[in-house]
């Protein structure tokens, strides 16, 4: 990972979240073309490197214009290799931020995406003033559904979207506060 001083860097207990930079394109392209990752993220299409370049450039613009975009995920204690991503883009045809995430299979099942999701959601509500966040996934992607549920997102609908059976979730600041309060009281 490059040394990039940036106030938008987010640290969690185990992760370092760094806004996408041009130097991330190759690692992101590798992540996004991994067969297990692209299965749901890209509907099993192998994207060209130019698509990764466009997403990185778009994220940089979004950070400048909107205060949010995508973060590359690194382990805090061994932050040399990009392990995944998490962040927001504007949901298609709306002004509502959409939460997106993905992580290399060797890191699955260890709570890293949920940890990153909480960090970027807090950023969205506290720093960007989001009134609502949406998330969507192909219905068969139950791992992603469970992440959204662990983040406190509320089921909205199940319908066809881009020809795929898709579930939609959302989260408001109040939903999130209630979710966190419930989590604390359950301890």
């Amino acid at each position: 990972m490059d040394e990039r001083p940036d106030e938008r860097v987010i640290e969690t207990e185990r992760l370092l979240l760094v806004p996408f930079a041009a130097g991330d394109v190759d690692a992101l392209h590798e992540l996004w073309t991994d067969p297990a990752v692209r299965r749901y993220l890209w509907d099993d299409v192998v994207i060209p490197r130019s698509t990764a370049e466009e997403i990185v450039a778009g994220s940089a613009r979004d950070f400048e214009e909107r205060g949010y975009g995508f973060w590359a995920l690194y382990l805090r204690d061994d932050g040399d290799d990009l392990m995944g991503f998490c962040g927001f883009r504007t949901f298609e045809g709306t002004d509502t931020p959409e939460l997106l995430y993905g992580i290399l299979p060797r890191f699955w099942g260890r709570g890293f995406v949920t940890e990153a999701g909480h960090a970027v959601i807090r950023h969205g509500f506290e720093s960007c003033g989001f009134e609502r966040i949406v998330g969507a996934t192909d219905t068969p992607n139950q791992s992603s559904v469970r992440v959204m549920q662990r983040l406190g997102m509320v089921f909205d609908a199940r319908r066809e979207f881009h020809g795929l059976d898709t579930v939609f979730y959302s989260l408001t600041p109040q939903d999130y506060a209630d979710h966190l309060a419930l989590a604390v009281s359950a301890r």
Side-chain angles (χ1 to χ4, degrees):
M1 180 184 71
D2 299 338
E3 293 300 318
R4 300 174 260 189
D6 190 329
E7 67 279 356
R8 297 168 298 189
V9 170
I10 300 172
E11 292 187 46
T12 69
E13 182 179 331
R14 300 179 295 167
L15 301 173
L16 187 63
L17 289 72
V18 182
F20 281 0
D24 297 326
V25 169
D26 289 332
L28 287 165
H29 185 251
E30 185 176 327
L31 168 72
W32 292 335
T33 57
D34 179 283
V37 173
R38 74 172 188 249
R39 177 177 178 199
Y40 294 117
L41 189 62
W42 298 104
D43 301 326
D44 217 15
V45 172
V46 177
I47 62 163
R49 186 180 185 282
S50 60
T51 298
E53 291 171 339
E54 291 167 11
I55 293 168
V56 168
S59 178
R61 278 191 309 275
D62 283 344
F63 269 113
E64 291 302 316
E65 296 170 7
R66 302 171 191 259
Y68 65 85
F70 292 117
W71 286 266
L73 307 181
Y74 298 92
L75 288 173
R76 276 184 67 174
D77 297 335
D78 182 22
D80 291 332
D81 295 322
L82 184 141
M83 60 191 290
F85 81 101
C86 188
F88 303 106
R89 69 174 179 190
T90 303
F91 189 70
E92 190 175 304
T94 73
D95 289 330
T96 306
E98 176 186 19
L99 178 67
L100 292 171
Y101 44 80
I103 195 164
L104 288 167
R106 71 179 181 265
F107 297 106
W108 287 1
R110 298 181 9 204
F112 291 123
V113 172
T114 302
E115 186 173 327
H118 278 296
V120 301
I121 286 170
R122 277 192 303 277
H123 174 84
F125 288 141
E126 294 171 6
S127 299
C128 300
F130 291 169
E131 294 178 16
R132 184 170 175 259
I133 295 168
V134 298
T137 191
D138 301 353
T139 301
N141 188 355
Q142 289 299 298
S143 293
S144 185
V145 168
R146 285 189 297 277
V147 167
M148 288 188 281
Q149 292 169 341
R150 282 193 299 270
L151 292 170
M153 298 185 88
V154 177
F155 175 78
D156 283 334
R158 178 178 179 177
R159 64 181 166 83
E160 188 175 301
F161 186 68
H162 293 290
L164 299 169
D165 184 19
T166 305
V167 290
F168 295 85
Y169 283 75
S170 66
L171 188 65
T172 65
Q174 187 61 56
D175 293 335
Y176 193 59
D178 292 347
H179 171 73
L180 294 177
L182 184 61
V184 168
S185 70
R187 289 184 189 161

